[in-house]
Amino acid sequence: MPDATAPAVPDSSVYPANGEVVEVLSIDNVFLPEAIQIAAGTEVVWLNNGRNDHDVTPDGDVRRQAWGVDAEGFPPTGTYSHVFSQPGTYVYFCSIHGTSAAGMFGTVVVTPP
């Protein structure tokens, strides 16, 4: 039986930016933290603190792939950011150093605000 106190939020709900920022470090061959949970509207900033080029490649549902950055846009000392406005689970990886299931990958779990 569903929880009557939990709001029913359709997957298509879109929330505005809320001013919150969470950082993810891209260190040589790993994202830290590997998994984060944020409220919809939060901006995630990836910082390339490694010695190598990286990218942030979304995996999964095609409609959620309107984000990410290629290696040219994310060299060492580079940054990339995206505001996650829809609840859901977003898996991403560095296509240079892994796949969505092994190597350099991460997960952003977005909850309703």
Side-chain angles (χ1 to χ4, degrees):
M1 175 176 226
D3 181 356
T5 62
V9 179
D11 195 45
S12 61
S13 294
V14 177
Y15 297 91
N18 60 20
E20 297 292 321
V21 177
V22 173
E23 292 183 348
V24 174
L25 298 178
S26 300
I27 302 173
D28 295 328
N29 304 320
V30 66
F31 290 111
L32 292 177
E34 191 172 277
I36 59 173
Q37 182 171 325
I38 60 172
T42 300
E43 178 180 16
V44 176
V45 177
W46 284 267
L47 307 164
N48 187 345
N49 285 358
R51 295 171 295 193
N52 300 314
D53 287 344
H54 294 295
D55 61 26
V56 176
T57 303
D59 184 57
D61 193 341
V62 174
R63 67 189 166 89
R64 293 191 177 167
Q65 293 186 10
W67 60 283
V69 64
D70 61 19
E72 289 179 4
F74 198 50
T77 72
T79 63
Y80 167 70
S81 67
H82 178 75
V83 174
F84 287 88
S85 59
Q86 285 186 279
T89 299
Y90 299 81
V91 176
Y92 64 93
F93 61 99
C94 173
S95 67
I96 301 166
H97 301 106
T99 68
S100 61
M104 191 172 177
F105 68 97
T107 305
V108 178
V109 176
V110 182
T111 61

